Amino acid sequence: MTCAMTTTLALDLVRRAEEDIINQAPMLLGGPCSYEAISVLIFYAESFKNGKDPNKMLESDESLKITPFDEFIYLSTARILIKFEQISAFKISYPQPVPSVRMSYLSRPDLLDLPQVKKWEEEDEYLSQLLMDMSLDDTVSKAMKEINRDRKAPAVDELTKGLYKLRREGEVSTWIVFAARVLLDIRDIMGEDMSRGHQEQVAAGRAAFKTLDMTVEGNGALTPRGLRWKGKDGAHYYSINDPFPIMKQKWLAEKAHVVDSYQSFDQLPPEWQEEVKSRCQSRGIETHPPPEMVGNMQQVGLRPIKHATDPNFLSTNNPIASGALMFHICLDMEHAGTALANHHQSIFAIAHLYNAARQTKTLNTPWPAIDEVMQLQITELFAGQLPQTPKDFQSRYALRLGISAQHFARNQRSSTTKKPPTLKATRKDGPQMSNTTTSSILSEYINNQSPMARCIYKLESLIQATKAVESKKLDKRISTKRQITPLELLSQVRDWLPTTIPLMKIDYIALTRTCSSLLKKIHTAIKSELGVEHHLMRDGDSSEAGYIIMALQILMEVNEVNLVQEEILKSRGSDRVEGSPQLDVCARVMGEHLGGALIGV
């Protein structure tokens, strides 16, 4: 996920850098094929610098050799994309008859044995097959939309967006060429592990589905078992079962044998041949090669690039897209977790009871999972600081519920008739835990709510502010933050994401279910052991608000016991007893949980 998001960030920085260059000379460099305009300028400048005639170099057969300069400007990659864009303009359905780069060597077939050319052929086949599958994916999405079954897919990565622009708008800009080159370099590095990103994405999706604990109804709807989310939160969840591989498999079964029978251009369907000839003639391209070229054509071969036969080729051969989708799943799971936790408030109640039990030493066993959440959400759960005294146990819990402190003031009038606070006296939804700041920023981009540039600015500000606090180097005399370079920003994001992703992966859903179960056990144990019954008030959506009031009353009891002991100690000097009867029950129930099979949850 870190690699995918850092790469996406890098591609956006390159795109904006290209826009800045084009804005310097929009008439010269603008247009959908900005790569050609920019690369030609660089080529001519380099030729003049070396004292060579650029026009003669282009006319010579030697220009077919792949030089270091060609690799510097990604010329080979650009030619693959330009070739596919020209074929896409014909509006031919999948699989498009994309000619191989071998056709560029009709005048010099002897160059086909060069290692650089062989590598170029492999990259040409890979990129062309990927673009073919993307075109088929466009067709599947369009067809599903026409039958009112729109695919609810998440926002795609920058590479996929760029290749979509190439197919639909004919854009071959420098940043898209750069993005394709990055993908090819990733392919070279990963080799046979190219599909690992997809495998991890599938595993993340299955784990998410298992955590959500949903049942699939007959109409395809997802219904949660056990604790439920609020209805308004349902819009954040979507099916991660992509129909594309199934649709492609169906196509392969029905039509692949027809395409496999094509051996050359002459054996393509007549309507395809006529369309290609018409397009060529409109561009002044000769459709009948001279006799001396016929032999070379037979040696080179005119068979179009064959489509990928793997139904999952599109998914398994784009690790940037897989990583971006996995990051999206991570964002959605964090949101789903905090949404469930905020609806049921069981983590809030248990966190306060757990803290009170630990502070009074009635519970000696630590609970790492709840400790981590308490530290991360200390502002939302405890108003910024863990309470350490019985008085604070009660007041901070009440404060987060929105209950006035006057309600607990001593020596109030008619105090003997004062009743415990009810749900109506509290804040409607209780304290709301938040997602991590990093995920909130990046989700704006993922959900198309803000452009990447704005999210980058926010992320940069967050990273620098956090580093300044951690290093204690905040200086009020500095009125502006230090401007960093794009490479420095990429380095900081690469180091930052691995530290914040574990926080995004905190399993609030499992913790909410555990805490809800503990509250139920505490309620039962207090009734059976102490004869104290706390009234419940289920709201019909599996959320029990009565448990939240029960926790408040337990903390009030702890404070009352402490106040009584203070009065007694003043007169008798007795030893202090920490906690209270109900808190002792809470500590025992939590202790049994921490020592049982659910330890670590």
Side-chain angles (χ1 to χ4, degrees), residues 206-278:
R206 289 174 177 171
F209 190 82
K210 183 178 180 181
T211 299
L212 290 172
D213 194 20
M214 297 282 189
T215 58
V216 182
E217 304 296 338
N219 60 358
L222 299 178
T223 302
R225 288 188 284 253
L227 301 184
R228 302 178 63 86
W229 280 261
K230 283 186 175 181
K232 66 180 182 65
D233 294 315
H236 294 276
Y237 314 128
Y238 54 88
S239 173
I240 58 175
N241 296 320
D242 189 2
F244 175 76
I246 299 176
M247 301 295 289
K248 183 181 177 182
Q249 182 67 51
K250 182 178 180 181
W251 182 93
L252 290 171
E254 295 177 355
K255 300 182 179 180
H257 67 283
V258 178
V259 179
D260 288 341
S261 66
Y262 302 154
Q263 298 298 321
S264 67
F265 174 80
D266 294 336
Q267 292 180 296
L268 292 177
E271 62 272 17
W272 288 17
Q273 294 185 40
E274 292 301 321
E275 179 68 20
V276 172
K277 289 180 179 179
S278 174

Side-chain angles (χ1 to χ4, degrees), residues 183-196:
L183 179 62
L184 291 173
D185 289 343
I186 292 174
R187 180 171 176 263
D188 288 341
I189 294 171
M190 297 188 69
E192 295 180 356
D193 288 338
M194 191 68 170
S195 62
R196 188 178 65 190

